Amino acid sequence: MQNKTWTDAALLDHLQKAVYLELWTIPLYLTAAYSLQVPGTDADTPPKQVTVRGKKNPNRSREQLAFNNIYSVVVQEMLHLELASNLFNALFAPKGYSPKFTGDWAPRYDRFPSWIAVNKPVKLGPVNPEQMSLLAAIETPEPKSDGAPNGPQDVYDSIGQFYKAIEQGIHQRWNDLYQPDADHRQKSEFANPQYIRDDYTRFSSTIGGDSRTALKQANEVLQAIVGQGEGNLGPIIDAELRPEDANDLEDQFSHFARFRMVQAMLKFGGPLETYPATGGSGLAAAQQQLTAGFTSLLTALEKGYAGDDELDLGSMWALPNQIVSVWSAGGVPQF
């Protein structure tokens, strides 16, 4: 079969879909993580990722272990959202485009993204076997049976194959699209080698400079997205794609491996303590606050990557309290 031709429009569409895909995972994973009733936490003091090595650690509980595994994936998905958005802007900001996060590109949770051929029901929910099966399906490593992408396609067998197609499109269109001297509207909140306090300092989330340097950075961005998640065929993440801090134990393992860990906890240890969805008098107000907070985040992302404002992630860091407030009021958070 003859390969389809990559065009600017096809690559623009694929990069927008990559941004959507990375954003789409975040509320799914956050909703599950904050459904856990970690001892010592509540709506006013949501769970945090804390080190729980050693069976005598006072912070250790099954719920804390599960939370660490799920929440640590969320943080890397925030990084992936940054990487995908920077990749979009590196090529298309000079042409007047920017990634969209609102309207038709606001995430929806009634199905998988239409360009990924995974036939599995999608809904927001607590940590239980059914929901962890969904989260693991999202991060399942690309099957070895997946063929090489045939140019731009409407539907891909897996997320891994989708990113292989983007890599192909970038390499085919790079020389015609990339403008070294343009404003590429790059943001760096999670990965910057210049700042030793960043979680990730072995690669840069920003893309710029001469064409050869920028293409190398674009390749590293793609490797980080797939290497930490669904592109990793083994449980261990390559050293250059994980934090240097050895205390970041969970971040040494792929997203799929972390979700499988929680699945094993449920299978062999029984249910984890989660908030019951019983409804309550404060549910409507709590959900309204969460809806307003998430809408604010989507607007901030869109304005930030359009260059209209600095990237303000304050509404993202406010989500934990808002999500736990809905759970503790007896509802399932909706986005």
Side-chain angles (χ1 to χ4, degrees):
M1 182 183 297
Q2 186 177 4
N3 283 358
K4 298 178 182 178
T5 302
W6 278 98
T7 63
D8 292 359
L11 186 55
L12 176 69
D13 174 67
H14 277 61
L15 290 176
Q16 174 63 66
K17 287 175 176 175
V19 171
Y20 177 94
L21 187 61
E22 301 306 330
L23 174 64
W24 180 75
T25 65
I26 293 173
L28 267 171
Y29 300 171
L30 282 176
T31 299
Y34 286 107
S35 74
L36 290 160
Q37 289 193 284
V38 176
T41 69
D42 54 30
D44 294 324
T45 55
K48 295 182 180 179
Q49 191 175 351
V50 296
T51 302
V52 290
R53 294 181 184 178
K55 292 184 178 181
K56 294 183 179 180
N57 189 311
N59 295 316
R60 190 179 181 92
S61 68
R62 295 177 68 237
E63 288 72 27
Q64 183 68 65
L65 286 166
F67 177 84
N68 284 0
N69 276 282
I70 301 171
Y71 182 77
S72 61
V73 174
V74 174
V75 174
Q76 285 188 333
E77 293 296 355
M78 294 176 186
L79 166 64
H80 294 180
L81 178 60
E82 176 176 285
L83 298 177
S85 300
N86 281 345
L87 191 56
F88 182 109
N89 273 354
L91 291 177
F92 288 102
K95 293 184 173 294
Y97 296 98
S98 59
K100 303 302 179 187
F101 300 87
T102 63
D104 290 341
W105 291 107
R108 52 184 298 175
Y109 295 98
D110 56 347
R111 65 191 183 202
F112 256 79
S114 60
W115 54 94
I116 306 297
V118 175
N119 185 23
K120 194 172 183 66
V122 172
K123 65 177 182 179
L124 297 155
V127 173
N128 58 31
E130 180 184 23
Q131 196 67 4
M132 291 313 302
S133 176
L134 168 62
L135 302 196
I138 296 170
E139 301 290 346
T140 297
E142 180 188 6
K144 293 182 179 180
S145 59
D146 272 5
N150 180 34
Q153 300 171 199
D154 293 331
V155 180
Y156 294 90
D157 294 334
S158 65
I159 294 174
Q161 189 184 49
F162 168 68
Y163 272 108
K164 278 187 177 177
I166 288 179
E167 182 180 19
Q168 182 189 75
I170 285 173
H171 280 256
Q172 288 187 18
R173 301 301 306 149
W174 185 266
N175 289 337
D176 291 326
L177 279 172
Y178 183 71
Q179 300 176 27
D181 298 326
D183 177 7
H184 300 112
R185 300 188 204 136
Q186 302 291 284
K187 308 295 183 181
S188 181
E189 298 291 334
F190 295 96
N192 191 331
Q194 297 179 14
Y195 297 103
I196 195 168
R197 294 181 63 187
D198 275 9
D199 286 339
Y200 298 89
T201 57
R202 293 183 176 97
F203 65 91
S204 174
S205 64
T206 59
I207 300 167
D210 63 79
S211 182
R212 178 178 294 183
T213 299
L215 180 57
K216 180 177 181 293
Q217 292 169 336
N219 286 330
E220 290 172 346
V221 160
L222 286 170
Q223 289 169 12
I225 292 174
V226 301
Q228 293 173 349
E230 65 286 326
N232 193 326
L233 298 179
I236 305 297
I237 295 175
D238 288 345
E240 64 269 18
L241 299 179
R242 62 183 192 235
E244 295 182 51
D245 187 350
N247 288 321
D248 291 320
L249 181 63
E250 289 81 13
D251 284 347
Q252 297 179 29
F253 296 91
S254 71
H255 296 182
F256 181 67
R258 280 176 254 179
F259 289 157
R260 292 288 284 171
M261 174 67 75
V262 179
Q263 286 182 298
M265 292 174 67
L266 292 168
K267 181 177 180 179
F268 298 108
L272 292 157
E273 289 293 328
T274 59
Y275 287 96
T278 55
S281 59
L283 178 56
Q287 179 58 58
Q288 185 177 27
Q289 187 177 39
L290 173 58
T291 299
F294 190 60
T295 300
S296 176
L297 172 61
L298 297 182
T299 301
L301 288 168
E302 192 156 296
K303 288 184 176 181
Y305 281 103
D308 298 332
D309 284 313
E310 291 297 318
L311 183 58
D312 181 4
L313 294 181
S315 49
M316 177 176 282
W317 306 124
L319 288 178
N321 290 80
Q322 295 164 353
I323 293 170
V324 180
S325 291
V326 174
W327 276 122
S328 64
V332 178
Q334 300 299 314
F335 289 83

